[in-house]
Amino acid sequence: MKRKRLTEKAVSVTAAIGSVLIMIMVIANTFWASKQTISSRNQAVSAVSAFYLESMADRRAKTITNLINNNFDYMEKAVSVINGEKIESQDDLRAAIGRMKTLLSLNRFALVDEDDIVYTQYTTYTGGSRHLFLAEKTLDSKMISTVFIYGSSKELCLAIPIDIKLLGKQFKACFVQIDINDIVDLLAFDDQESTHFALYSANGGNISETELGPLIGTKNIFDATKGNVSDEKWNSFRDDFANEKKGTLTFTINDDVVDTIFYQPVPDTGWELVVMIRESIIQDQIKEISNKSLAANRMQIFFLLSVATIFSAILFYMMRRVTNDKLEEEKENSKVFKSMANTDSMTGVRNKHAYMETESQLNIRIREGTIEKLALVACDINGLKYVNDTQGHAAGDQLIKDASALICDLFNHGSVYRTGGDEFVVLLLGKGYDTRGEVIEAFNKQVEENIKNNGVVVSIGYATLQPNDEQLHDLFERADHMMYDRKKQLKSMGARTREFDETN
């Protein structure tokens, strides 16, 4: 049988049909890939949001826990010190309480005797009706409670049982009260309003009075979310609060805005720490890049498949570069914000918040025995009150700056922290530890010269890590005692001290 010849028309038609079929397959595959990309993007957004929120909530809950544990430790030390002092009058007791407050940075520190009389730095009063922990006949263990004072003001009350006798009376408890606003400052975000947090009681009341996004605001979280999620999820959400469990809740506002919250219990307080991020913040950024990619791909389907493949590879590389650049930028911004939060605005050295973070990290290393060379220098400016009273606070501020410059100049291999108005702490590791003897000698020599020249005078004391030390505060106590002895020595040389200022 004679075979038919292939004509140019047949070849052209076949090529055209084949080209059309290929293009249809490419188009169909592109749209299918687009849907898969959108689905994967949404899943990634939810996963990133949940991980980000859980990480932030966990870190901030631990911050509160560390604050509480530190205050309990400091109270026990304060009671031990006061019990060892010679207390012969109420004035002696108030003075001792005041010293412990200043030394250990304890807010509203007070002792309670067997008759429920509360002794503070400035006064005494009957506390039976004012403090929840005194409602119990006996206080057998540590107690944490939230108190409401002066209308809307809220404080965290930490109480421990004690057993000491002063002024012929038995004392049964001591406590501190921490302003909720101070806790809020420790937890604050720097994120241009995209992330929010708040502290809540078990009944959903906002303790911190911080806004949790536009829907919830400062309202009761249960009232604000009711109707925006299913009854099953809402009831489970309430049960988690009541049983101090952690979890997430996602809800939609105005049919297009998705908010996700993560809640984490703060141990022993009865609080829930809630953080929220608007998924649209992440989604819009990823969607912008994704839409550009999809539009480019749709344009390329009209060209050769190889060109489309190459272009997609280039675009994918660009997307990765953009994403990496944004992540690097966010990391740099995070470093800048953290540096601002940890820097003393007057002197430029690290502040008390930075010292507390460093103290927490060093305490872990001390307990684990992974650090050997560590020294602490306690510094106190002489005559600041006198300068403030006689020359004004501007001169006092300049004295603080000059003292900071002196400390930083000589302890140039140490980490300097301003922990109070006229108090600084220097931590020495590595080279700073190895050269501490000659630096301390040079510092004291310079200070003694300054007494003669009416220059800045700073009393210092120091301590090094010993095998029986359990935490950094053990070094601080020894250094602080030495510093006060040095202050007396400098006074005998003509330097002004707080006692000198008050009597002269």
Side-chain angles (χ1 to χ4, degrees):
M1 186 174 180
K2 191 176 180 179
R3 294 170 60 187
K4 291 185 178 181
R5 292 180 61 189
L6 292 175
T7 64
E8 292 183 3
K9 181 179 180 180
V11 173
S12 298
V13 169
T14 301
I17 293 173
S19 298
V20 170
L21 289 175
I22 291 173
M23 295 306 297
I24 291 174
M25 291 176 63
V26 171
I27 294 171
N29 183 69
T30 300
F31 280 109
W32 178 83
S34 299
K35 290 184 178 180
Q36 291 298 313
T37 299
I38 293 172
S39 176
S40 298
R41 181 190 68 207
N42 291 337
Q43 292 177 5
V45 169
S46 297
V48 169
S49 298
F51 176 78
Y52 178 59
L53 290 174
E54 183 173 4
S55 176
M56 288 191 300
D58 183 65
R59 290 200 306 270
R60 282 159 176 78
K62 287 180 179 177
T63 296
I64 299 176
T65 300
N66 289 338
L67 176 66
I68 291 172
N69 290 337
N70 286 340
N71 272 270
F72 276 133
D73 290 342
Y74 293 162
M75 278 194 288
E76 291 176 354
K77 289 184 178 296
V79 171
S80 176
V81 172
I82 291 174
N83 190 36
E85 292 189 358
K86 186 177 181 181
I87 306 296
E88 297 180 344
S89 66
Q90 285 196 16
D91 288 340
D92 291 342
L93 180 56
R94 290 173 183 170
I97 292 173
R99 286 195 299 273
M100 291 302 100
K101 283 180 59 179
T102 302
L103 180 63
L104 301 177
S105 299
L106 294 172
N107 295 329
R108 294 177 60 84
F109 175 58
L111 303 179
V112 185
D113 68 15
E114 57 191 350
D115 298 321
D116 289 344
I117 302 299
V118 177
Y119 295 75
T120 70
Q121 180 182 2
Y122 302 107
T123 187
T124 59
Y125 60 88
T126 302
S129 61
R130 295 177 59 177
H131 300 289
L132 180 62
F133 67 91
L134 293 179
E136 305 289 337
K137 291 184 177 179
T138 58
L139 181 64
D140 297 324
S141 60
K142 298 176 181 177
M143 182 172 181
I144 303 173
S145 59
T146 306
V147 296
F148 298 82
I149 59 175
Y150 309 124
S152 61
S153 180
K154 306 177 186 69
E155 293 188 349
L156 179 65
C157 180
L158 310 178
I160 60 172
I162 62 175
D163 184 16
I164 64 175
K165 194 166 185 178
L166 302 170
L167 304 176
K169 292 187 175 183
Q170 188 70 29
F171 283 75
K172 66 178 183 179
C174 75
F175 68 92
V176 296
Q177 290 182 191
I178 305 172
D179 195 313
I180 298 297
N181 292 328
D182 292 339
I183 298 177
V184 170
D185 291 340
L186 284 177
L187 308 180
F189 294 108
D190 290 306
D191 54 4
Q192 290 125 14
E193 303 298 327
S194 61
T195 310
H196 310 269
F197 81 96
L199 292 167
Y200 291 91
S201 59
N203 63 6
N206 189 319
I207 298 173
S208 61
E209 297 182 359
T210 50
E211 291 193 2
L212 197 69
L215 174 67
I216 300 175
T218 58
K219 297 180 291 187
N220 183 290
I221 196 169
F222 298 137
D223 296 340
T225 54
K226 188 174 180 61
N228 288 280
V229 296
S230 66
D231 291 342
E232 181 181 359
K233 289 183 178 180
W234 188 77
N235 288 328
S236 176
F237 177 47
R238 292 199 62 170
D239 290 341
D240 286 347
F241 264 55
N243 297 313
E244 298 186 2
K245 293 183 178 179
K246 66 180 181 179
T248 60
L249 183 69
T250 300
F251 46 88
T252 303
I253 306 173
N254 300 329
D255 298 328
D256 59 349
V257 178
V258 178
D259 283 344
T260 298
I261 61 174
F262 183 89
Y263 45 94
Q264 168 98 18
V266 181
D268 303 321
T269 63
W271 296 351
E272 288 278 345
L273 173 65
V274 182
V275 293
M276 187 201 80
I277 187 169
R278 178 156 290 171
E279 287 195 2
S280 60
I281 301 294
I282 299 176
Q283 194 169 26
D284 288 346
Q285 295 179 1
I286 300 178
K287 185 178 180 180
E288 181 180 355
I289 300 172
S290 178
N291 286 343
K292 290 179 180 179
S293 173
L294 294 176
N297 286 337
R298 291 189 184 106
M299 292 175 60
Q300 296 306 310
I301 63 175
F302 298 103
F303 299 96
L304 295 175
L305 184 61
S306 58
V307 176
T309 303
I310 294 172
F311 183 83
S312 297
I314 294 174
L315 188 62
F316 178 75
Y317 172 75
M318 292 175 62
M319 288 173 58
R320 289 189 61 185
R321 285 289 303 273
V322 170
T323 302
N324 289 337
D325 289 345
K326 290 179 72 67
L327 288 174
E328 289 299 322
E329 182 180 355
E330 290 175 0
K331 289 179 181 178
E332 289 300 319
N333 289 338
S334 177
K335 291 178 181 178
V336 172
F337 288 133
K338 184 175 181 180
S339 176
M340 292 173 61
N342 289 337
T343 301
D344 177 57
S345 60
M346 179 183 295
T347 62
V349 300
R350 298 175 179 89
N351 60 15
K352 184 174 181 179
H353 179 264
Y355 178 75
M356 291 177 64
E357 287 187 343
T358 303
E359 180 183 30
S360 178
Q361 296 167 3
L362 289 176
N363 284 344
I364 294 174
R365 295 181 63 187
I366 291 172
R367 286 193 291 269
E368 292 175 348
T370 58
I371 185 171
E372 295 180 358
K373 293 184 175 182
L374 172 63
L376 183 148
V377 182
C379 311
D380 189 274
I381 303 172
N382 287 54
L384 177 61
K385 182 178 183 298
Y386 176 83
V387 172
N388 282 332
D389 291 345
T390 61
Q391 301 177 38
H393 286 278
D397 291 347
Q398 187 59 49
L399 177 60
I400 293 173
K401 295 176 184 178
D402 293 342
S404 176
L406 175 64
I407 294 169
C408 292
D409 184 45
L410 288 174
F411 291 99
N412 57 354
H413 293 297
S415 299
V416 181
Y417 303 82
R418 185 185 177 200
T419 57
D422 55 0
E423 300 167 355
F424 292 77
V425 170
V426 184
L427 297 179
L428 301 174
L429 299 91
K431 187 174 182 180
Y433 178 90
D434 294 335
T435 60
R436 66 190 185 282
E438 58 191 69
V439 174
I440 290 171
E441 182 180 354
F443 187 96
N444 285 332
K445 182 177 180 181
Q446 180 63 57
V447 166
E448 292 172 8
E449 286 294 323
N450 288 351
I451 295 175
K452 303 174 184 177
N453 303 326
N454 199 28
V456 60
V457 177
V458 179
S459 302
I460 66 170
Y462 68 95
T464 58
L465 183 66
Q466 301 299 315
N468 60 340
D469 287 335
E470 298 179 355
Q471 57 185 350
L472 185 64
H473 192 72
D474 295 334
L475 280 74
F476 178 84
E477 285 188 326
R478 296 197 299 274
D480 193 61
H481 285 304
M482 181 185 291
M483 182 271 291
Y484 275 104
D485 291 337
R486 174 62 173 169
K487 185 177 284 290
K488 294 176 182 177
Q489 182 183 24
L490 293 177
K491 179 182 178 182
S492 68
M493 297 180 183
R496 294 190 177 92
T497 65
R498 183 177 299 276
E499 292 80 6
F500 182 94
D501 298 339
E502 292 174 350
T503 59
N504 292 274

